[in-house]
Each structure stands twice: as C-alpha cells, then as structure tokens.
Amino acid sequence: MPGREVGSDRAEALRRTHEAAAYEGWFLERVEEAIREADNPNAVSIPHEVIKGEMARERAELLALLKNEGK
C-alpha cells in the first residue's frame, strides 16, 4: 500500500493478535467457570420456559416504554 509502512502494518497485526489471544484466554476462563458452576450439585437450574417468559415480559415493558416516549 502506498504511504503505509510495512512496520506499522506488522505492528497493527501483532497488536490485534495479542488482543485476540487475551480475549480468548478471558473467554475460556469464563467458560470453565460456568462449567464448574453447572457441575456443582447445589447449582440452581431455571427452566428455559421460565426464562423465556421473563424475557417476553421485559421485552413488552421496554416496548411500552418506547411507545410512551414517542407521545
């Protein structure tokens, strides 16, 4: 690319690689923690249908708020 230095392109690629590796490490820690929590015999399980109902209620409340803001 004219006007761009190869070194700055390489530095940017290296920076993105380090960011991706750091994010992957963070993400894997969260996944491992979630698996440990789910494997705990004392873990509380919430049925999918309960969560769907709660989300539908929250969505309806937010839509009502948005509708009222437009008045």
Side-chain angles (χ1 to χ4, degrees), residues 36-59:
R36 281 192 304 275
E37 289 177 6
D39 285 343
N40 181 338
N42 298 319
V44 176
S45 178
I46 303 171
H48 181 67
E49 292 304 317
V50 171
I51 298 298
K52 282 177 48 177
E54 289 177 2
M55 292 302 298
R57 181 187 48 78
E58 289 180 16
R59 188 178 308 108

Side-chain angles (χ1 to χ4, degrees), residues 8-30:
S8 65
D9 288 345
R10 182 67 187 131
E12 179 64 20
L14 191 57
R15 183 188 63 76
R16 286 193 312 263
T17 299
H18 283 285
E19 286 177 355
Y23 176 80
E24 183 177 3
W26 171 86
F27 180 78
L28 290 175
E29 286 175 14
R30 301 291 87 71

